[in-house]
Amino acid sequence: MSELPKTFEPGAIEQRWYAHWEQAGLFRPERGQETPWTIVMPPPNVTGSLHIGHALDITLQDVLTRHARMQGKDALWVVGTDHAGIATQMVVERQLDLEQKKRTDFTREQFVERVWAWKAESGGAITGQLRRLGASCDWANERFTMDEGFSRAVTQVFVELYKRGLAFRDKRLVNWDPKFQSAISDLEVDNREVSGHMWHFKYPLAGGRTYTYVERDDDGKVLFEEERDYISIATTRPETMLGDGAVAVHPDDERYRPIVGCFCEIPVGPKAHRRLIPIITDTYPDPHFGSGAVKITGAHDLNDYGVAQRNGIPMYRLMDGRARMRDDGPSYAQSSERAKAIAHGEPASAADVDALNLVPEAYRGLDRYEARSRVVADIAAEDLMIKVEDKQVMQPFGDRSNVVIEPMLTDQWYVDAGTLVKPVIEATRSDAIKIVPETWSKTWFNWLENIQPWCVSRQLWWGHRIPAWFDDNGNVFVAQSEDEARREAGDRPLRQDEDVLDTWFSSALWPFATLGWPEATEELKRHYPNDVLISGFDILFFWDARMAMMGEELTRQAPWKTLYLHGLVRDAHGQKMSKSKGNTVDPLGLIDQYGADALRFTLAAMESQGRDIKLDEKRVEGYRNFATKLWNAARFLQMNGVGASTSIAAPPAELPVNRWIIGEVVATLARLDKAFADLRFDDMADAIYHFTWGTFCDWYVELVKGAFDPETLAVAAWAFDQILVMLHPFMPFVTEELWGAMPRDGEQRPYELIVARWPAPEATADQAAKAEIGSLVAVIAEARAMRAELTIPWSATLTPHVIGGDAAMIGRLTANAATLARMAKLALPVAAGAIPDGSAQIAVEGVTIAFPLDDAIDLDAERSRLSKSIAAAHKDRDGLAARLANPAFTERAKPEAVDKARADHAERAAEAERLETALARLG
RNA sequence: GGGCGCGUAGCUCAGUGGUAGAGCACUGUGUUCACACCGCAGGGGUCGCAAGUUCAAUCCUUGCCGCGCCCACCA
């Protein structure tokens, strides 16, 4: 046994213990026969470094994992990293930037190789950081979403989905990210409000036709009337006019009835070849918004796309992958004439979308914003602009690229989310998936019920290449391998789809693919479905929902029984942390300064369900102090010969103080077990914190000080062991260190704390001991308060006079004389009939105890002290009396409530009376 | 526009249909042989506002005020 230093220094012991646990295989002991328990860690990006959000997420998972392990379960915490397609490709491209190179300077193979090299070099950073937090995950089976087995699973899933008709290829409008030149999913788009404009233009009617435009109010009264030769169109995106296929008005809109079916002219481009488009009706336009007439640009607007599809309106792609106006294909004149013919009924072909280029030569190659201002200027020059308004508009941004997303008509792979989601909804309804806190289920359902097909193809190089091959005629063959595809295709030349899968497609398989799926491995059988998933609500849709979908489709089971959602970690002012605001808190810095235990405890203690965490460093400091307090308690016990407990069960005890602390341990354990069952991390932390500091250190240790008889040695050892066990999931390092520092009879412990047994509540609370110690504690507390308020010097020993000679009280005070002398500076008690003159008094459990103070007493101070107590007693007494006087209360309230009020009233009244007597005695 | 959440002590947060709790901060005090990263004692809240339900509301209902988040295709 080495003597503990006075102050707890976390740094050294953290490293030592973590290495030991990992090397000794203690994160995953062989427990093939025990109840399995499983959780998977959300795989952090290989590019990533640990941020405070991870710290919270990991802490909660580790608390549960360590708890399960201590319960003797076969606890498995799956760990690994995510290849993070876009994010990683971005990082490597940025590196190339520094070398003044581009991705396209390399072949795809060379580039991907480079990413692997980079991953090998720096991919371990995040896993080292997870270790510093103390994460007790199963490193021996660490996975990567692009490792061989996992990739095979990904391929197989895609093939299966395709065969079941749940993955399909389609040309639709997608969110196109011009920076990455890739499609992204709906979820990866951030809609933000920005300042923009709304332009109102005249679309002249074909052939110089005119009509009477009449504006009426709700009662049909004519407000305004004029002859017009145009229709007024409002748009926030003039550059897309070039691709208009029609103008739509509401079928009930009387104003435009005369011209429905007529053609109007798009007022841009060389006059000779201006396009004419029909005026059609659709219920989409809102007659009360703008002019009530909407231009329909199916290839560049999500709403218009729907209208165009419904009405068979042609769509024309105007931009290239970088969102510049197209500079390919036939001339404007050629394209325009063909488009005109189509508008007038000539059959269109599907290829027209891309084959025609309706961008006038003057705009070709321009950036979309440049094109916009040119279009506006040109229209204004012709005097066809009615007005321009400033307007806040919602604009879609790529969540990673931060550039404005362009809706584009392209061929992509989709997953039929609408079908996949059905069993998930069912599972949640039937409680096969339990969402905690429950309040999130509404959001969950709302999203699931309104889900759209999920675009899963990405035009990137880094990721799982889509297992689809095309022949020269565009036929597609989806197969596990090229050989297989070739067999299906019958020896035609094939080329593989260039695209990769959305990263979330693969991470959605994490709960089962990490366990060996599609093989029916023993691990999979035992550890799937997982017991619980812990995740931030920010990835509820990205990851959680997709895991549920994939799990249900491929394993016919929900991937986990419980879905626990925690909040975000914010700074001390409630601001969202972000690098750009510079208010991020580095968890590693906090670990350096206060220790991993303190940070973990803080995060657990602040995790109350359904609320974000405002992280205040003072709080971390406070829990560092808590660790030190525990450390010093251990030192003290050690000095007094307390070692490891010789038994797991509570030792036999006669002394009330020992019987009492055993009962308190049991009560604390019950609180903790309840909190674990409810996933209330804040309650867990509160229970163990208050027991350790407020009960064990402040009272038990003080009460037994100087009296370490064999029984007390045994009970103290046991109780302290229970603290270490119960605290270990939260503060693994300091508890493991202290566990090792408390050997018995010079012998080391037979096993580490990390694999010690969670206590079973075998002992029961002893009510008599609880009452006895409760009373003793009350005497000490009252006496100390009295001394403090009367400023009685510590040097003065007081003699308690028990008024009325209450035998039980006298017995108690006598039995605990040494303790009372030490903790409250009291002498042996004496029985007294009446309160001696010049006494200060306290009341404990209905017994008045007087302390004659000779001349030392400050009568005024005592008077004011008593008066304050009397006032408080009166207030309570009178309030209760008033309630009891109300017949409505006594008749209608629950009998228990009435009884309690009566009892409280009697007690407070008696106390008031005693205090009044005491005050009177003072004269 | 729809949905969710929050407003309780100076700060950060728990909480309950029967007149409120914790940590930190604050005040006083203490060098008692574990710990000043400590001990002891103490001050501090009409539980956002209003109405309703109830014998009783901080807790339930409704409305309002303030704050935050998520979702959404109004050109």
Side-chain angles (χ1 to χ4, degrees):
Chain A
M1 166 188 342
S2 57
E3 199 173 307
L4 292 165
K6 190 168 164 182
T7 309
F8 158 57
E9 296 295 343
I13 69 169
E14 287 177 3
Q15 221 184 346
R16 177 155 48 77
W17 278 115
Y18 198 91
H20 175 78
W21 290 329
E22 188 172 355
Q23 279 152 24
L26 296 177
F27 293 147
R28 185 87 199 283
E30 273 301 323
R31 286 183 184 172
Q33 304 309 308
E34 304 299 332
T35 311
W37 185 90
T38 319
I39 187 168
V40 296
M41 185 191 295
N45 292 357
V46 274
T47 55
S49 58
L50 191 78
H51 59 67
I52 195 77
H54 289 125
L56 170 64
D57 201 53
I58 301 302
T59 295
L60 302 183
Q61 291 171 51
D62 197 39
V63 165
L64 295 186
T65 303
R66 286 180 185 267
H67 177 243
R69 187 185 298 115
M70 291 177 107
Q71 286 181 310
K73 294 179 184 169
D74 177 18
L76 167 63
W77 187 10
V78 173
V79 66
T81 48
D82 193 294
H83 69 281
I86 290 184
T88 306
Q89 180 160 325
M90 222 163 97
V91 168
V92 175
E93 285 192 71
R94 216 177 288 140
Q95 284 184 334
L96 291 180
D97 245 10
L98 297 177
E99 300 167 27
Q100 311 222 314
K101 288 183 196 151
K102 307 194 295 282
R103 168 169 58 113
T104 45
D105 294 343
F106 299 83
T107 66
R108 180 177 185 141
E109 287 65 34
Q110 286 170 331
F111 180 79
V112 167
E113 206 167 295
R114 195 153 168 148
V115 181
W116 277 107
W118 178 84
K119 188 238 164 201
E121 181 187 319
S122 56
I126 183 86
T127 58
Q129 293 168 339
L130 294 173
R131 286 177 166 90
R132 287 211 56 198
L133 247 191
S136 64
C137 35
D138 184 22
W139 293 110
N141 297 299
E142 183 182 345
R143 299 301 299 268
F144 178 54
T145 50
M146 276 174 66
D147 68 33
E148 210 190 316
F150 205 93
S151 297
R152 222 176 7 247
V154 171
T155 304
Q156 172 152 348
V157 168
F158 188 85
V159 174
E160 296 261 337
L161 291 180
Y162 178 79
K163 285 185 182 150
R164 296 174 197 178
L166 294 167
F168 56 92
R169 191 160 170 80
D170 199 6
K171 192 184 207 81
R172 306 169 155 244
L173 207 56
V174 291
N175 302 296
W176 184 266
D177 188 314
K179 177 169 172 191
F180 297 126
Q181 300 195 55
S182 172
I184 59 176
S185 76
D186 298 349
L187 278 179
E188 289 160 290
V189 175
D190 267 350
N191 290 304
R192 295 181 214 153
E193 197 171 64
V194 297
S195 300
H197 304 280
M198 182 137 95
W199 288 271
H200 297 252
F201 299 126
K202 292 179 179 176
Y203 277 39
L205 294 177
R209 191 196 157 109
T210 62
Y211 67 110
T212 310
Y213 177 86
V214 185
E215 189 92 47
R216 295 171 193 270
D217 67 10
D218 291 343
D219 302 325
K221 214 178 89 196
V222 174
L223 295 174
F224 173 77
E225 189 175 329
E226 71 173 355
E227 280 300 291
R228 282 188 178 173
D229 59 358
Y230 66 88
I231 184 165
S232 169
I233 301 292
T235 179
T236 54
R237 303 201 52 198
E239 72 280 13
T240 65
M241 286 168 60
L242 301 163
D244 287 355
V247 165
V249 298
H250 193 95
D252 299 338
D253 195 335
E254 298 293 339
R255 296 171 296 178
Y256 301 113
R257 183 145 296 169
I259 53 169
V260 167
C262 295
F263 282 77
C264 60
E265 183 185 282
I266 302 171
V268 276
K271 285 205 167 145
H273 299 288
R274 284 213 179 150
R275 286 171 52 219
L276 295 176
I277 52 176
I279 297 168
I280 62 156
T281 58
D282 191 276
T283 51
Y284 164 65
D286 173 1
H288 300 289
F289 185 87
S291 69
V294 186
K295 69 188 208 57
I296 302 300
T297 321
H300 289 279
D301 184 283
L302 219 55
N303 297 312
D304 295 3
Y305 179 69
V307 178
Q309 277 203 313
R310 276 198 294 279
N311 297 284
I313 293 168
M315 309 183 212
Y316 303 108
R317 185 167 61 80
L318 297 172
M319 298 176 206
D320 63 18
R322 280 186 279 190
R324 291 189 201 161
M325 305 314 284
R326 285 175 59 182
D327 196 11
D328 62 344
S331 69
Y332 172 75
Q334 232 176 312
S335 302
S336 181
E337 291 309 320
R338 164 90 179 121
K340 268 196 251 181
I342 293 169
H344 283 89
E346 195 168 293
S349 97
D352 291 336
V353 174
D354 297 309
L356 303 188
N357 182 352
L358 289 165
V359 180
E361 277 70 15
Y363 303 141
R364 291 193 177 186
L366 294 180
D367 177 79
R368 55 191 156 161
Y369 298 108
E370 176 62 18
R372 177 180 301 176
S373 48
R374 296 278 284 275
V375 166
V376 170
D378 290 348
I379 297 176
E382 280 186 49
D383 213 21
L384 290 172
M385 184 160 91
I386 300 165
K387 63 177 170 179
V388 53
E389 301 170 287
D390 290 336
K391 191 174 189 293
Q392 292 301 108
V393 294
M394 289 301 266
Q395 252 184 3
F397 286 82
D399 63 353
R400 284 217 121 87
S401 66
N402 253 324
V403 302
V404 177
I405 295 304
E406 187 63 44
M408 292 267 229
L409 254 186
T410 56
D411 291 303
Q412 303 288 345
W413 286 98
Y414 291 87
V415 165
D416 178 4
T419 299
L420 294 185
V421 118
K422 289 201 176 90
V424 177
I425 292 172
E426 182 47 38
T428 319
R429 288 248 159 78
S430 68
D431 249 17
I433 297 175
K434 192 172 154 234
I435 297 180
V436 181
E438 202 265 331
T439 163
W440 279 103
S441 56
K442 198 154 184 172
T443 307
W444 174 257
F445 282 124
N446 188 51
W447 190 76
L448 296 180
E449 283 160 5
N450 294 296
I451 201 159
Q452 296 298 313
W454 169 21
C455 175
V456 294
S457 44
R458 298 288 179 277
Q459 288 66 52
L460 303 173
W461 281 355
W462 175 242
H464 299 103
R465 192 145 170 197
I466 294 177
W469 284 263
F470 298 95
D471 67 13
D472 291 339
N473 301 321
N475 295 312
V476 66
F477 303 91
V478 172
Q480 200 74 240
S481 66
E482 183 158 0
D483 285 348
E484 216 179 294
R486 203 172 300 284
R487 241 171 285 138
E488 280 182 38
D491 241 9
R492 271 170 287 184
L494 294 178
R495 62 184 166 78
Q496 187 173 4
D497 195 317
E498 294 291 324
D499 296 347
V500 299
L501 286 164
D502 181 4
T503 302
W504 298 103
F505 183 97
S506 52
S507 46
L509 317 181
W510 195 245
F512 48 91
T514 50
L515 298 173
W517 188 94
E519 311 308 326
T521 60
E522 191 61 20
E523 285 287 80
L524 187 66
K525 247 181 275 169
R526 284 174 57 75
H527 291 280
Y528 188 83
N530 307 160
D531 285 78
V532 58
L533 179 81
I534 297 210
S535 128
F537 60 73
D538 51 333
I539 53 170
L540 178 62
F541 305 139
F542 275 113
W543 192 48
D544 307 352
R546 269 117 178 222
M547 266 190 283
M549 287 156 58
M550 291 294 202
E552 288 284 357
E553 178 58 31
L554 295 153
T555 72
R556 303 294 170 201
Q557 275 181 297
W560 6 258
K561 296 163 194 153
T562 299
L563 170 55
Y564 180 94
L565 294 161
H566 62 251
L568 263 44
V569 183
R570 297 170 181 279
D571 73 6
H573 308 291
Q575 295 289 307
K576 195 169 172 176
M577 290 186 189
S578 73
K579 278 182 201 153
S580 54
K581 274 188 230 161
N583 63 343
T584 52
V585 172
D586 175 16
L588 299 169
L590 288 174
I591 291 174
D592 288 340
Q593 199 171 352
Y594 302 106
D597 288 333
L599 177 61
R600 294 166 55 108
F601 203 89
T602 306
L603 293 168
M606 298 195 75
E607 170 58 18
S608 59
Q609 290 178 3
R611 203 195 255 259
D612 286 347
I613 291 179
K614 285 181 203 162
L615 187 66
D616 185 352
E617 195 173 324
K618 296 293 283 180
R619 197 79 185 249
V620 186
E621 184 186 335
Y623 291 123
R624 187 272 319 266
N625 296 351
F626 175 54
T628 304
K629 180 78 182 176
L630 180 77
W631 183 268
N632 279 298
R635 285 178 64 221
F636 177 74
L637 295 176
Q638 212 182 49
M639 284 173 201
N640 285 278
V642 176
S645 179
T646 55
S647 69
I648 288 177
E654 294 298 328
L655 295 173
V657 69
N658 288 329
R659 295 174 70 81
W660 165 74
I661 198 67
I662 290 168
E664 293 298 301
V665 168
V666 172
T668 302
L669 179 64
R671 248 193 94 185
L672 260 177
D673 285 345
K674 170 96 169 59
F676 269 104
D678 297 341
L679 294 174
R680 285 302 304 247
F681 294 93
D682 53 347
D683 275 351
M684 299 172 198
D686 192 65
I688 188 63
Y689 180 92
H690 281 106
F691 175 72
T692 302
W693 200 322
T695 302
F696 186 81
C697 291
D698 287 351
W699 288 105
Y700 179 73
V701 170
E702 294 300 329
L703 288 169
V704 301
K705 228 174 214 178
F708 280 98
D709 52 86
E711 177 189 304
T712 302
L713 283 174
V715 172
W718 178 81
F720 192 70
D721 268 12
Q722 306 314 301
I723 287 176
L724 294 179
V725 172
M726 291 189 289
L727 186 55
H728 181 260
F730 308 88
M731 294 189 147
F733 294 111
V734 68
T735 51
E736 185 74 85
E737 175 75 7
L738 292 176
W739 176 264
M742 306 284 283
R744 167 162 46 93
D745 306 329
E747 294 284 311
Q748 281 303 318
R749 304 250 193 183
Y751 48 84
E752 291 84 345
L753 179 58
I754 189 174
V755 287
R757 286 304 298 271
W758 189 256
E762 284 158 18
T764 49
D766 180 334
Q767 290 310 320
K770 189 178 165 75
E772 166 105 24
I773 301 300
S775 162
L776 182 62
V777 163
V779 169
I780 294 168
E782 287 286 329
R784 290 206 286 219
M786 177 197 78
R787 297 186 74 114
E789 281 176 51
L790 300 180
T791 55
I792 296 167
W794 192 250
S795 56
T797 296
L798 303 178
T799 302
H801 287 52
V802 179
I803 308 305
D806 185 283
M809 182 61 78
I810 291 175
R812 190 169 300 146
L813 299 184
T814 308
N816 294 290
T819 303
L820 289 163
R822 199 177 60 252
M823 294 181 73
K825 261 311 184 95
L826 300 185
L828 280 169
V830 299
I835 299 169
D837 288 339
S839 299
Q841 295 130 57
I842 60 173
V844 174
E845 293 170 352
V847 179
T848 300
I849 303 172
F851 301 94
L853 295 170
D854 304 323
D855 301 328
I857 190 169
D858 177 340
L859 287 178
D860 283 342
E862 176 67 352
R863 256 187 226 108
S864 100
R865 189 179 77 91
L866 288 172
S867 300
K868 240 169 36 189
S869 306
I870 290 168
H874 278 176
K875 188 177 164 235
D876 288 356
R877 181 197 64 189
D878 295 347
L880 289 160
R883 200 193 302 170
L884 287 163
N886 180 357
F889 173 67
T890 48
E891 283 159 23
R892 307 180 63 170
K894 284 177 301 193
E896 309 92 85
V898 178
D899 289 347
K900 181 163 186 310
R902 288 216 172 93
D904 289 352
H905 177 261
E907 195 203 309
R908 298 304 276 163
E911 189 183 340
E913 207 172 307
R914 262 195 321 275
L915 292 164
E916 279 160 4
T917 311
L919 183 60
R921 292 273 168 189
L922 284 177

